[in-house]
Amino acid sequence: MTARSVWKLLLASIFPGLLAVTTAAAQSLSDGFRPAPDGPVAALLVQPDGKILVGGAFGTIAGQARQQLARLDADGSIDASFSAVTVDNAIDAIALQPDGRVLVSGYFTHAGGAPRQQIARLNADGTLDATFNASLDGIAFAMLPLPNGKILLGGGFTVVDGVARDGLVQLNADGSIDPDFSAQTDGVVYALARTGAGELLVGGMFTTIAGAPHANLARLHADGRFDGAFVAQSDDAVDAIVLQADGRLVVGGSFVQIGGGTQPYLARLSANGRLDPTFTPSPNYVVVSLLVQPDDRILASGYFGLIGDQQRQSVARLNADGSLDDVLKADVDRASPALAVQADGRIVIGGDFSSVNGTPTGKLARVALDGSVDTDFVSTVAGGTVLAAAWQPDGKLLVGGNFSLNGQSAYPKVARLQANGAIDAGFNANVGDTVRAIALQSDGRVLVGGDFVSILAKPHAHVGRLEADGNPDAAFGAQTDASVTALAVLADGRIVIGGAFTQVDGEPHRGIARLNPDGSVDSTFVASVDGTIDALLVQPDGAIVIGGTFAHVDGIPRARLARLGADGTLDANFIADADSDVLALALQPDGSILVGGAFGTLGGISRGGLARLDAAGNVDAGFDASTNGAVSSIALRADRGLFVAGTFSTIGAATRLHLASLAANGEVDPDFVLSANDTVSTLALAADGRLFAAGAFTTLGGVPRNGVARIATREGARYALSRSGYTLIWSNADAAPETAMPPQLSYSTDGSAFLPTGTLARAGSTWTADLFQPPLGRTFYLRARSATASGTGDGSRGAHEDTLAVFIDDGIFGDSFD
């Protein structure tokens, strides 16, 4: 008996009863992923909209009664818009059709109150699809919706709709048997996949398929005919099949011999089924589930405890070449057969476990990008104030200010936190005084600006660069004579700095300057202001909008807000004077500019604390969300919603203490009410849509929080990086942070060392770039990197990255190892 069969028998023996409904606490700051089903999870699927379908043998999940099937929002709460359909026994498999309808298979005989024998289809809202009435005498362990609307099933059945069909059947869209597809097996099918050419890959435990002797792994033509050109067979069950970008197969199971060689439990085959001898992850026991991420890395789960000689308990991630990924470690105490990857890169795992990495997390868990379990954000800030914050692409958070951390008496000024808020001991920076701005470079180094005059006791006045581990970059020599409060890294690597300084490296540069990548002054940039610059943003054409306390730019009157050309010259046509300080700036996709500060009028129009300008600098009459206090930070979402923070207690006509959420038109979100008992000065929207907030508060939403908090979102953050011919397309949507600058494109031949190749340009709701002449006949990697504005004054810059493995056939070599 295979290890997968053991899991099936275990799941079939469990049938939980309904439990009482638990009411979730409203406005909770608990932002971890804790659905906590009361029974095992066997199937997971992340929908394109970010919602998560969960199937198994449970009766409650996320505190709500749900029989065997539920759909969760991104935060792990129940999606109330998906019907609480009742299924009378365990679900083992879930598949999503292109039209949004959901296929489920399991041990049940009824679904939605109607007879449904081990398979059913639900509408997109979770109600039973009465038009689909197929029946099986065994489970469909694998379900593959096809582009033509038909559905390929593989499993342990022998009868379909009363007709003999062993292990394999193709259904029409209405669930009736497709008589033109006659392929069957003499055993169980556990895995199905479709190649780019439309061929069908079948894995399981059989000795014949489509009338041909072929053990446990085979390829069929689209019409079900046996494809003899695919030579791979195995000596035991194949439980999982996935395809990498170049068409090679990665397969998992209980086999030892496969494709003409020895490669136990996990192997890679050429497109025609020959074993790849270079792919040697070597788990020590059975692999039952596989997923390939867009960057070609491979997620595996099963019954193993080792990958090679490295401990990995039931869950592991491999690099594209089969080597072990040393970032992800999600050891579970019992096998986890279910895996899913969210668009933001986080990984959802399901099974019958009770802990992940020693953290109690029953049956269903999520792992963050940095490998930590997605639990509530636990503040490690013990005192002082966080003024700067920037999310890294790996999900870790850089914070700067003048604060202390739990267990430490010194005020570190800058620190790095893991995704769950724990201190990252691998980052040890020693900055001499307050840090007010942080910006990430594409190479992982970190720019800092503030009040300090030293880093690690060496002279670095007000601006410096840290290595990825926090040590100062001695080659970066820029220094100013007063505080730096805003930073932006340009596409060419040059750096714009703003602040209260009047000199940079002894040269006169008042309030703003541009540095070369090595920190030397770019003397071609000549702007000068007579006050402090507290906020800046860079527009797609290179123009720079600045805000602060100044009254003149290059001697010309400009009250606290102005726009400069890419060379620093004043834009004479942009005039939007403010009657008091401008403290925050954010750029919307249509070129509109959100302005926050302590002003009461902007451009001669009454606007208290918050206003929106069109691209020419005119006040948007349709956006009026005035406050009775200052706005010091703005976090902009891809769906054009926004969060604002400051000293205010009212915004628009609503009472909101220091923190508010607004719709794109400026209307206050009535459902977002988290009052702070003191100023919120800093916001940083994470790639997954959760909001980091910092300030002088000690409670938020009535919950004790010592100056820092992270706030959950029910909506998912969506990203997509794809290729259409020779055009690359990147998009972000919903709860994702809006990019602060045009995304940068980079290229790699190995997936680790990337070189910049250009900038994406906005095309409607997406960003695109035409590819350079790409290599043919080999896998290469493309990465889109988007900058996100954050921190007090939005003067800090974090980043998000999406990576895509690409293979363009050269039309010569059809099989990698032939």
Side-chain angles (χ1 to χ4, degrees):
M1 180 179 290
T2 69
R4 184 175 184 123
S5 300
V6 173
W7 168 258
K8 303 302 173 191
L9 289 175
L10 171 64
L11 188 61
S13 68
I14 302 172
F15 179 55
L18 286 171
L19 298 180
V21 175
T22 302
T23 302
Q27 299 297 329
S28 172
L29 287 176
S30 297
D31 66 336
F33 186 83
R34 298 189 313 273
D38 64 347
V41 170
L44 291 168
L45 190 148
V46 176
Q47 297 186 168
D49 61 3
K51 296 179 186 291
I52 305 164
L53 288 162
V54 184
F58 48 82
T60 64
I61 184 170
Q64 303 291 315
R66 290 294 187 276
Q67 286 289 320
Q68 332 306 342
L69 180 68
R71 190 166 69 187
L72 306 179
D73 286 321
D75 63 353
S77 61
I78 286 289
D79 175 12
S81 69
F82 189 82
S83 176
V85 62
T86 298
V87 180
D88 67 354
N89 210 331
I91 287 174
D92 190 80
I94 301 174
L96 187 68
Q97 295 187 179
D99 61 5
R101 289 185 290 184
V102 180
L103 292 161
V104 294
S105 183
Y107 300 88
F108 54 85
T109 59
H110 288 77
R116 287 296 186 272
Q117 190 67 38
Q118 302 200 287
I119 189 169
R121 186 166 66 192
L122 309 177
N123 296 310
D125 63 359
T127 57
L128 185 67
D129 180 358
T131 69
F132 184 93
N133 198 16
S135 66
L136 310 174
D137 70 340
I139 296 173
F141 296 127
M143 299 183 290
L144 181 63
L146 299 172
N148 61 6
K150 297 183 179 183
I151 305 157
L152 186 64
L153 305 181
F157 49 82
T158 59
V159 177
V160 180
D161 292 346
V163 179
R165 282 292 189 276
D166 286 336
L168 198 61
V169 68
Q170 185 163 284
L171 304 180
N172 294 311
D174 63 358
S176 62
I177 295 173
D178 178 3
D180 296 328
F181 187 97
S182 59
Q184 300 182 58
T185 70
D186 64 349
V188 181
V189 171
Y190 291 131
L192 296 170
R194 184 175 181 270
T195 70
E199 297 159 318
L200 304 172
L201 296 163
V202 183
M205 196 168 186
F206 49 81
T207 59
T208 64
I209 180 170
H214 216 77
N216 306 319
L217 181 62
R219 187 171 68 195
L220 305 178
H221 295 292
D223 61 4
R225 291 177 297 117
F226 178 74
D227 184 352
F230 184 84
V231 299
Q233 301 185 60
S234 68
D235 64 350
D236 209 334
V238 170
D239 290 315
I241 305 170
V242 292
L243 295 169
Q244 291 188 288
D246 61 3
R248 288 184 288 184
L249 293 69
V250 180
V251 296
S254 51
F255 55 81
V256 174
Q257 303 287 324
I258 189 168
T262 301
Q263 194 59 257
Y265 312 124
L266 184 58
R268 184 163 66 188
L269 308 174
S270 72
N272 280 342
R274 288 178 170 80
L275 182 67
D276 178 357
T278 69
F279 186 89
T280 57
S282 303
N284 67 336
Y285 202 46
V286 177
V287 170
V288 299
S289 184
L290 293 170
L291 283 177
V292 172
Q293 298 184 183
D295 60 5
D296 244 11
R297 289 186 294 178
I298 303 151
L299 287 165
S301 71
Y303 297 87
F304 51 84
L306 296 171
I307 299 290
D309 60 357
Q310 298 296 307
Q311 180 179 327
R312 289 294 188 275
Q313 193 65 46
S314 296
V315 178
R317 184 166 61 194
L318 309 176
N319 296 311
D321 62 1
S323 60
L324 185 64
D325 172 21
D326 58 6
V327 174
L328 179 73
K329 188 174 183 182
D331 290 345
V332 299
D333 58 354
R334 294 187 71 178
S336 54
L339 293 171
V341 179
Q342 298 185 183
D344 58 27
R346 291 179 295 173
I347 298 163
V348 185
I349 57 177
D352 195 27
F353 52 84
S354 60
S355 68
V356 180
N357 292 340
T359 300
T361 311
K363 320 297 185 188
L364 185 57
R366 185 163 61 195
V367 180
L369 298 181
D370 64 357
S372 61
V373 181
D374 187 352
T375 57
D376 286 353
F377 187 86
V378 179
S379 169
T380 50
V381 174
T385 304
V386 171
L387 298 171
W391 289 100
Q392 295 188 164
D394 63 2
K396 294 182 179 180
L397 177 66
L398 289 160
V399 291
N402 192 12
F403 52 85
S404 61
L405 296 173
N406 289 333
Q408 300 182 11
S409 58
Y411 277 49
K413 314 303 186 298
V414 63
R416 188 166 62 200
L417 308 179
Q418 295 178 10
N420 60 10
I423 300 169
D424 181 0
F427 184 87
N428 293 289
N430 186 356
V431 179
D433 205 343
T434 302
V435 170
R436 298 186 179 275
I438 298 172
L440 286 169
Q441 295 190 166
S442 59
D443 59 6
R445 290 183 291 183
V446 181
L447 294 161
V448 291
D451 302 343
F452 55 86
V453 295
S454 67
I455 301 176
L456 198 62
K458 296 180 180 179
H460 287 275
H462 307 294
V463 63
R465 185 163 64 195
L466 308 176
E467 302 290 349
D469 61 1
N471 287 316
D473 177 3
F476 188 87
Q479 301 195 58
T480 70
D481 64 343
S483 186
V484 170
T485 56
L487 296 164
V489 182
L490 305 180
D492 60 6
R494 289 184 294 180
I495 304 152
V496 179
I497 62 173
F501 52 84
T502 60
Q503 293 186 351
V504 182
D505 287 347
E507 295 184 15
H509 288 275
R510 293 178 61 88
I512 189 168
R514 188 167 65 197
L515 309 178
N516 294 310
D518 63 358
S520 60
V521 179
D522 178 0
S523 298
T524 66
F525 188 89
V526 295
S528 176
V529 301
D530 61 354
T532 298
I533 289 179
D534 293 305
L536 61 84
L537 65 81
V538 181
Q539 296 183 301
D541 62 358
I544 303 168
V545 182
I546 56 175
T549 66
F550 54 85
H552 296 82
V553 178
D554 294 337
I556 299 172
R558 284 295 185 276
R560 305 171 184 88
L561 185 64
R563 184 163 63 193
L564 311 176
D567 61 356
T569 56
L570 180 66
D571 180 350
N573 296 318
F574 186 96
I575 303 174
D577 290 346
D579 65 348
S580 191
D581 299 349
V582 170
L583 303 174
L585 295 167
L587 183 66
Q588 292 190 297
D590 63 357
S592 298
I593 301 164
L594 289 161
V595 184
F599 50 82
T601 63
L602 187 67
I605 306 296
S606 177
R607 287 292 186 274
L610 183 65
R612 185 165 66 194
L613 307 178
D614 63 21
N618 303 305
V619 173
D620 181 351
F623 185 97
D624 189 356
S626 293
T627 70
N628 66 343
V631 170
S632 60
S633 190
I634 302 169
L636 186 61
R637 293 183 10 155
D639 63 4
R640 297 195 68 186
L642 59 143
F643 298 98
V644 295
T647 63
F648 55 84
S649 59
T650 64
I651 182 168
T655 299
R656 294 291 186 273
L657 301 183
H658 310 296
L659 180 63
S661 172
L662 307 180
N665 62 2
E667 292 183 2
V668 178
D669 180 353
D671 297 323
F672 186 93
V673 184
L674 283 173
S675 297
N677 68 334
D678 206 336
T679 300
V680 178
S681 55
T682 299
L683 298 176
L685 194 59
D688 59 25
R690 289 183 287 193
L691 180 68
F692 174 81
F697 56 86
T698 56
T699 65
L700 185 62
V703 178
R705 287 292 187 271
N706 193 26
V708 296
R710 190 177 64 184
I711 302 162
T713 177
R714 294 180 69 93
E715 305 95 334
R718 289 193 290 151
Y719 302 88
L721 182 61
S722 61
R723 178 179 62 89
S724 177
Y726 287 85
T727 299
L728 189 74
I729 304 166
W730 180 82
S731 65
N732 59 342
D734 298 342
E738 183 54 69
T739 182
M741 297 174 64
Q744 301 302 299
L745 178 63
S746 56
Y747 161 84
S748 172
T749 58
D750 61 6
S752 57
F754 282 81
L755 295 174
T757 61
T759 301
L760 284 84
R762 185 172 285 282
S765 61
T766 66
W767 296 83
T768 65
D770 292 331
L771 296 181
F772 52 91
Q773 182 60 45
L776 301 180
R778 63 172 297 179
T779 300
F780 61 98
Y781 303 85
L782 297 172
R783 175 173 288 169
R785 180 184 176 96
S786 59
T788 54
S790 55
T792 302
D794 301 296
S796 295
R797 295 292 185 271
H800 171 77
E801 292 176 345
D802 292 290
T803 304
L804 179 68
V806 178
F807 181 86
I808 300 176
D809 197 343
D810 59 10
I812 301 174
F813 298 105
D815 191 83
S816 310
F817 312 114
D818 286 352

